Amino acid sequence: MIEKTVKPDVQAITQDKDVSSEGSVDHVYIDPETEKRVVRKLDMFIVPVFMICYLFSFLDRSNLGNAKIQGLERDLGLKGTEFNVAASIFYVTYVVFEVPLVVLFKIVGPSKMIPIIMMSWSLVTTFTGFCQSYGSLLACRLLLGACESALFPALNLYVSMFWKREEIARRASGIGISLALAGAFGGLFAWAIMQMDGAGGYPGWRWLFFIEGAVSFCLGIAAYWLFPDNPETAYFLNDEERKLARARLEIHGNYQPFDWADVKAAFRDPVCWLSGFIQFNADVYNYSISTFLPSIIQGMGYTSLQAQYLTIPCYVLGAAVYFGVATVSDKIKRRGPFILLAGLFIMAGYSVLLGSTTPGVRYFACFLVLFGAPIIPGLNLTWLNTNMSPHYKRATAIGINQTIGNSGGVIAGQIYLNRESPGYKTGHSVSLTACGLTWVCTWIMMWILSKRNAEKDRKAQEGALDDGRGDHAVSFRYQL
């Protein structure tokens, strides 16, 4: 139930409301029980859908690593660092198309854009199974990067279109959990599909692309009916619940009209660029471990089949820890401290991988890395999402973050070299350095945001007018 504080009247909320400079709605009361019911419905009908969507996205992107240890390199005649180039080149078009497609996401609408993205990448994945040469593999990877580029930032933006600031991390963690589960199920699916080796005259790694691409295409068709564009078009809410869902988000700046000043504000805000640099370094180690973990484990002396299923518990641990951290992060409204803690585990893991030659110890180190790996890129993006307002500044900031961040994927594909197996000294060293830089920059980010909050506290005590827009409003407080 939504009602005015003076007169309970659901209809009045759309006719008589005062919107402040921050986008908040004054004099509106939202019944807590009704709000809980609405949030439960959003969690039930939206979160599982975008989790499955991103799970298959990352499966289709990272299955190259599983295909590698099952004969892709041999069958395509890849030599030297050609596999590394194929892994990295994906991020070239991924970065180029990211910002324009995220902007298009808002214009076209999620219910149309997400299915288009899904069906496009699934077709590319399917036809990757027909590659016969290095050149054709590069072409497919470039196309796949373009088709998948908007999905991750778009889904993070999508979360902010339905949940409040203090609710975002837990829901957005579903995307990070999907990434971790994709790593786990990627190994399981790969193991199962590889049993089809020779069926129809095709090796198992080709069936990996065929089947995963076909499943993603079917999900893309279903997505047209499963993704509402906004709370007002949510098929699972009644009229009263839709009005409530909108009212509770207006304070988040979601319904302010487009203004180029918001786009410019994002480009001028150093927080956006620092967040992007944190994401860049996080993606260097995160993308490399997701692609090369099967190879790292195989280098410990295990068979390719054993390497596939030994990745599973590492990713399951990462998913479980990330969900718990995101839940607590939302409750206490803090992001930075959890990023710092996760960084310690990751750096410890890479240090052990560099310093030990004992297979059991090195495998334990993989757990340390995956313990924190999903947390930093996931919470960093949530941190930016909750600290940017209004909506179009937020959308632009996420685009900047992901464009800079995913450039790290180009490096990620180049640092694990076959000639350095099984030690992979370059890969582990670069990943350790990248995590260290992320750790330092997180401290800097916390200092900047604390300084901004202190300045707003000073202005509030002096009785300054709250006439700023979005996160520049005196009443807006940055989450640390």
Side-chain angles (χ1 to χ4, degrees):
M1 172 175 85
I2 308 173
E3 54 186 36
K4 301 279 282 186
T5 52
V6 177
K7 178 183 178 181
D9 184 358
V10 173
Q11 188 63 30
I13 189 158
T14 59
Q15 297 176 344
D16 183 20
K17 60 186 179 184
D18 177 22
V19 181
S20 75
S21 60
E22 190 184 8
S24 62
V25 182
D26 296 335
H27 316 305
V28 174
Y29 170 78
I30 297 178
D31 178 64
E33 292 303 315
T34 308
E35 183 178 21
K36 287 180 182 178
R37 186 176 73 242
V38 169
V39 173
R40 280 196 300 269
K41 284 189 175 182
L42 294 174
D43 290 342
M44 184 184 304
F45 286 92
I46 295 180
V47 174
V49 174
F50 71 64
M51 284 185 66
I52 293 172
C53 174
Y54 194 70
L55 186 149
F56 277 90
S57 165
F58 206 78
L59 275 179
D60 292 347
R61 180 195 315 181
S62 61
N63 57 16
L64 192 69
N66 290 315
K68 173 179 181 283
I69 65 174
Q70 291 294 337
L72 178 143
E73 278 188 304
R74 179 192 65 246
D75 292 349
L76 298 188
L78 303 187
K79 300 176 183 178
T81 60
E82 288 181 341
F83 177 84
N84 300 83
V85 173
S88 296
I89 204 168
F90 166 90
Y91 295 99
V92 174
T93 46
Y94 195 99
V95 169
V96 169
F97 286 93
E98 203 155 24
V99 172
L101 288 181
V102 170
V103 175
L104 191 64
F105 174 81
K106 181 63 179 177
I107 297 171
V108 175
S111 65
K112 299 181 183 66
M113 192 69 177
I114 293 176
I116 291 172
I117 292 171
M118 292 187 70
M119 288 187 285
S120 299
W121 97 57
S122 62
L123 288 173
V124 175
T125 298
T126 301
F127 285 102
T128 301
F130 293 106
C131 287
Q132 299 294 332
S133 65
Y134 176 53
S136 60
L137 179 62
L138 291 184
C140 285
R141 294 292 291 176
L142 285 168
L143 286 172
L144 187 65
C147 293
E148 284 197 20
S149 60
L151 187 68
F152 184 71
L155 289 180
N156 276 277
L157 182 61
Y158 189 70
V159 170
S160 71
M161 294 164 62
F162 289 86
W163 286 273
K164 297 189 295 186
R165 290 178 73 202
E166 61 269 25
E167 300 167 342
I168 287 177
R170 185 178 176 187
R171 279 76 190 182
S173 73
I175 302 172
I177 290 169
S178 296
L179 188 153
L181 292 178
F185 288 115
L188 185 61
F189 288 165
W191 174 82
I193 294 173
M194 293 306 174
Q195 308 310 306
M196 298 179 62
D197 189 44
Y202 294 109
W205 68 264
R206 293 188 186 275
W207 281 109
L208 185 64
F209 291 107
F210 295 158
I211 293 176
E212 289 185 357
V215 173
S216 296
F217 188 83
C218 294
L219 289 172
I221 295 174
Y224 179 79
W225 290 277
L226 296 176
F227 281 97
D229 286 326
N230 49 52
E232 295 96 311
T233 60
Y235 62 90
F236 48 85
L237 299 179
N238 60 39
D239 288 340
E240 181 184 8
E241 291 169 340
R242 288 170 184 160
K243 291 172 183 176
L244 184 149
R246 172 175 175 134
R248 72 191 211 98
L249 291 175
E250 288 185 312
I251 194 172
H252 198 24
N254 281 25
Y255 291 91
Q256 290 188 343
F258 176 79
D259 190 334
W260 278 108
D262 296 332
V263 176
K264 294 176 183 177
F267 278 99
R268 292 170 180 167
D269 194 333
V271 166
C272 295
W273 298 99
L274 182 58
S275 175
F277 186 69
I278 292 173
Q279 199 76 9
F280 172 88
N281 286 286
D283 284 349
V284 167
Y285 75 78
N286 201 40
Y287 287 153
S288 63
I289 199 71
S290 65
T291 300
F292 294 99
L293 184 59
S295 298
I296 293 170
I297 294 177
Q298 186 180 25
M300 299 175 191
Y302 299 102
T303 66
S304 61
L305 178 59
Q306 290 172 327
Q308 298 283 9
Y309 64 69
L310 284 174
T311 63
I312 297 173
C314 299
Y315 284 113
V316 170
L317 174 68
V321 171
Y322 183 31
F323 179 75
V325 166
T327 301
V328 177
S329 173
D330 267 347
K331 286 185 177 180
I332 68 173
K333 301 177 184 178
R334 291 291 184 272
R335 318 297 179 189
F338 294 102
I339 293 176
L340 294 173
L341 181 61
L344 293 177
F345 282 92
I346 297 167
M347 288 186 285
Y350 281 117
S351 298
V352 173
L353 284 170
L354 281 168
S356 176
T357 57
T358 305
V361 175
R362 289 168 59 80
Y363 183 54
F364 172 73
C366 293
F367 280 92
L368 290 177
V369 173
L370 269 298
F371 185 93
I375 294 173
I376 296 182
L379 278 191
N380 179 58
L381 189 55
T382 298
W383 203 6
L384 183 69
N385 200 343
T386 55
N387 282 332
M388 293 289 113
S389 184
H391 182 76
Y392 285 98
K393 180 180 180 182
R394 186 181 310 122
T396 307
I398 291 174
I400 293 171
N401 173 283
Q402 288 298 286
T403 297
I404 298 173
N406 283 309
S407 300
V410 178
I411 296 175
Q414 298 297 316
I415 56 179
Y416 282 89
L417 308 171
N418 284 341
R419 66 174 180 269
E420 292 187 348
S421 176
Y424 294 112
K425 183 177 180 180
T426 300
H428 298 327
S429 298
V430 172
S431 296
L432 176 61
T433 303
C435 188
L437 289 171
T438 294
W439 206 77
V440 172
C441 290
T442 299
W443 279 109
I444 297 173
M445 178 73 83
M446 292 176 67
W447 176 76
I448 292 173
L449 297 178
S450 297
K451 189 175 180 181
R452 288 186 177 185
N453 281 341
E455 178 65 17
K456 291 187 178 190
D457 289 340
R458 183 189 64 79
K459 289 182 179 180
Q461 290 175 357
E462 294 174 354
L465 292 175
D466 194 11
D467 56 357
R469 179 177 173 86
D471 59 86
H472 288 292
V474 174
S475 58
F476 188 99
R477 289 298 180 274
Y478 296 100
Q479 296 182 354
L480 301 183

